Amino acid sequence: MDATPRDIADLIGYWENAAGDREAVRCGERSWTWTQWAQRIRRNAAGLLAEGLKPGDRVAYLDKNDPGCLETTLACALLGTANAVPNFRLAAPEIAYVIKDAEAKLLFVGAEFLPLVQRIRDELTTVEKVIVVGGTDDEYEGWLAAHEPLDTTREAQPDECFLQLYTSGTTGFPKGAMLTHTGMTAHSQATAADAHIDANAHVMVAMPLFHVGGSSFALTGLYFGARIVVVRELDPVSFLDELVAEQITHVFVVPAVLGFLVQVPGVADRDYAHLKAMIYGASPMPLPLLRRCLELFPTDFYQVYGMTEASGAVTSLGPAEHRDRANDHRLASAGKAAPGVELAVVDPLTGEHLGPDATGEVWVRTRQLMAGYWHKPEASREALVAEGWLRSGDVGQLDADGYLYISDRVKDLIISGGENIYPAEIERVLVEHPDVAEVAVIGVPDERWGEVPKAIVVASTEAPEAEKLLAHCHDQLASFKCPKSVEFVAALPRNPTGKVLKRELRAPYWPAEDVTR
């Protein structure tokens, strides 16, 4: 038997044969061995075939974290179809956009989101069938049971998309990143090598599965035969209780979650001897919080930097750097390139590769990269450039030792509690309000979420009301994207070519701060 599965599709049979009686997945009171879970995945695949899905088709799975989403992703990996996973935190029009964009033929929906789907059902013109997951009206378990496990599977193609995760863009509309067997296998191998994940690991999947930090981290654990514990919703006290009760060895969270955890009464009184790796990323980490975590959790810390388009993490700052007092300036870095990853800092205008400590756009070259954006060839060409490089859209520097420092965002991205928020999405909604002549959205500091959106508005009426603008946003956008405040100004600062100078708008709110990226 080979040392590892060939690809994501192969992991199911590989671990069924190698560890069939061992627990593979747990979520709350539900759990399955590898043999049991493999049968569920093959029933799901048989069901997808029975619903008429063919290679290249998409399904969608709208729910909070549930093993059924991973079952569907792996079933798609067997068939050549792809699971498109919408962000359940989005507003109804945004969810409708994602499902329509994916051209999903089948929609799995968690029971608590069924009323939302019923409201937008007429807009979901490609969806031929909706299957309810969970609750008193659960249809998913019966649907699985109605199909005999698929006993033959096609050989997966290396660059075939089996998972489609949506990332927002500067146009204001989400883009479906097509993640492949090659990319996800390479990511799994790199992440496991760095964080020492193997078949003896107990991996907690606490990030949402619509996020690359959720699905990719889960698939990394599964690829190496680890036992994974899926957390449906993250409650700080329950999280810590489960961390101990399930003897978790590896977990990935965003800094905002760590901020909640350190405030739990008695957090220091639990036994964390089993915990081998606390991995964090996806948003800025305040150094005071990081130092508090280093005191509380006697484990190895890893900071990672990555993106959906690269199947997850592309850099890592490891345990040695986290506890190296002599070089603690490196805590402000995103670490070094992960195994199999090349980094470059490039002049975004000329494409010239720059030397150490020069500031430019961060480019990434690795086998982990997506196949492109679904049905968006122009955006794909802009992101995936010559010689296999991906443009990250982030501004940074590489020092002489290979440590990457992220200093800004080429695309003015706001990262709030680990969620990516593009100002263009909010600006597109606000400019439709009759009281708004012009608007620029920026990120401002927030103690709880790291940063939150703020709208700078040039009004078109004499007595604009901030409350009305905020209410307008809440009607159109997910709550986490909505501005938390509005400031009215006479004019927006611009350069000679007319571009709004967002750096000037941000300057009063962002003095030099003690934060990492």
Side-chain angles (χ1 to χ4, degrees):
M1 195 171 199
D2 294 335
T4 55
R6 292 189 307 271
D7 50 36
I8 301 302
D10 187 46
L11 76 84
I12 303 151
Y14 183 99
W15 290 109
E16 181 185 21
N17 291 331
D21 293 335
R22 202 171 67 208
E23 186 173 86
V25 179
R26 174 171 290 275
C27 183
E29 298 300 316
R30 299 176 295 159
S31 70
W32 301 274
T33 65
W34 274 104
T35 296
Q36 291 168 335
W37 207 48
Q39 292 300 297
R40 289 175 65 85
I41 292 164
R42 292 195 179 98
R43 288 182 185 277
N44 188 309
L48 296 180
L49 284 178
E51 300 295 347
L53 273 84
K54 304 180 297 297
D57 286 343
R58 267 59 177 163
V59 301
Y61 202 106
L62 176 65
D63 196 7
K64 294 177 181 176
N65 279 8
D66 188 87
C69 184
L70 292 171
E71 290 168 1
T72 302
T73 296
L74 291 171
C76 287
L78 293 175
L79 298 176
T81 55
N83 186 15
V85 189
N87 182 341
F88 61 76
R89 296 171 181 163
L90 297 177
E94 298 171 301
I95 289 173
Y97 175 86
V98 168
I99 295 171
K100 286 190 293 183
D101 179 76
E103 299 175 354
K105 293 187 175 182
L106 180 65
L107 172 61
F108 298 100
V109 57
E112 65 186 283
F113 297 100
L114 181 59
L116 181 151
V117 167
Q118 290 171 334
R119 292 201 304 273
I120 62 174
R121 184 65 181 92
D122 290 344
E123 301 177 50
L124 308 181
T125 52
T126 65
V127 174
E128 299 171 2
K129 187 172 185 176
V130 175
I131 296 175
V132 179
V133 182
T136 56
D137 297 320
D138 175 78
E139 298 169 331
Y140 180 68
E141 292 299 328
W143 180 78
L144 284 184
H147 298 95
E148 289 300 314
L150 189 68
D151 58 2
T152 58
T153 55
R154 55 191 290 282
E155 185 172 344
Q157 301 302 305
D159 294 326
E160 197 168 65
C161 172
F162 70 94
L163 177 63
Q164 189 159 300
L165 299 181
Y166 276 78
T167 178
S168 299
T170 54
T171 60
F173 293 99
K175 300 189 294 289
M178 296 185 288
L179 305 184
T180 69
H181 289 273
T182 293
M184 194 62 71
T185 300
H187 176 268
S188 297
Q189 292 169 343
T191 300
D194 189 50
H196 308 291
I197 298 173
D198 58 23
N200 296 314
H202 300 267
V203 173
M204 177 177 277
V205 179
M207 289 284 287
L209 292 173
F210 66 72
H211 193 288
V212 72
S215 279
S216 292
F217 193 56
L219 291 169
T220 294
L222 293 168
Y223 181 83
F224 283 93
R227 169 179 176 263
I228 67 167
V229 177
V230 179
V231 177
R232 181 164 177 80
E233 292 186 85
L234 201 153
D235 168 77
V237 175
S238 298
F239 177 95
L240 290 174
D241 290 344
E242 195 163 12
L243 195 72
V244 174
E246 298 296 341
Q247 297 289 287
I248 298 300
T249 60
H250 296 74
V251 63
F252 173 72
V253 292
V254 296
V257 170
L258 291 173
F260 297 142
L261 297 182
V262 300
Q263 298 177 47
V264 173
V267 60
D269 300 331
R270 291 169 168 82
D271 181 4
Y272 303 109
H274 51 84
L275 187 61
K276 295 182 178 180
M278 180 76 80
I279 308 167
Y280 67 92
S283 67
M285 166 65 92
L287 280 178
L289 172 59
L290 176 55
R291 291 188 173 116
R292 175 65 174 144
C293 289
L294 289 169
E295 293 173 359
L296 281 172
F297 300 103
T299 187
D300 286 345
F301 276 78
Y302 297 81
Q303 180 186 175
V304 296
Y305 160 76
M307 56 214 71
T308 305
E309 292 87 343
S311 303
V314 295
T315 74
S316 176
L317 186 74
E321 291 95 340
H322 275 85
R323 300 189 187 273
D324 182 2
R325 290 291 184 174
N327 294 286
D328 64 356
H329 64 280
R330 287 176 177 162
L331 291 176
S333 81
K336 292 185 174 183
V341 173
E342 294 178 74
L343 299 174
V345 172
V346 177
D347 185 317
L349 298 179
T350 67
E352 176 191 359
H353 286 232
L354 306 175
D357 300 321
T359 299
E361 184 177 11
V362 178
W363 286 20
V364 179
R365 183 160 62 183
T366 170
R367 293 173 62 241
Q368 297 178 197
L369 299 187
M370 66 176 180
Y373 295 117
W374 171 252
H375 287 347
K376 290 182 171 55
E378 184 175 343
S380 298
R381 286 191 294 269
E382 290 175 358
L384 298 168
V385 293
E387 300 177 344
W389 289 98
L390 168 72
R391 299 184 61 173
S392 74
D394 289 324
V395 173
Q397 306 87 33
L398 274 170
D399 70 13
D401 296 316
Y403 288 90
L404 177 66
Y405 294 78
I406 302 297
S407 58
D408 206 344
R409 296 108 173 190
V410 172
K411 303 170 184 176
D412 295 317
L413 177 68
I414 298 168
I415 305 177
S416 184
E419 292 282 0
N420 289 352
I421 303 172
Y422 281 87
E425 294 184 87
I426 308 170
E427 292 162 356
R428 174 172 55 85
V429 169
L430 277 172
V431 79
E432 295 173 354
H433 194 280
D435 289 347
V436 176
E438 293 182 302
V439 60
V441 173
I442 60 172
V444 297
D446 182 82
E447 289 185 1
R448 186 177 189 187
W449 301 113
E451 61 179 326
V452 293
K454 180 182 183 70
I456 312 296
V457 173
V458 177
S460 58
T461 57
E462 291 186 359
E465 295 181 27
E467 291 76 13
K468 288 184 178 180
L469 299 187
L470 295 175
H472 175 69
C473 288
H474 279 281
D475 286 340
Q476 300 295 321
L477 297 167
S479 60
F480 72 86
K481 293 184 180 181
C482 294
K484 300 302 181 284
S485 60
V486 176
E487 179 182 349
F488 294 99
V489 297
L492 297 175
R494 298 178 182 274
N495 68 9
T497 65
K499 182 180 178 181
V500 175
L501 298 173
K502 289 192 174 180
R503 183 181 294 275
E504 291 189 11
L505 293 175
R506 286 194 291 261
Y509 303 97
W510 291 100
E513 291 209 349
D514 195 17
V515 300
T516 68
R517 272 287 287 152

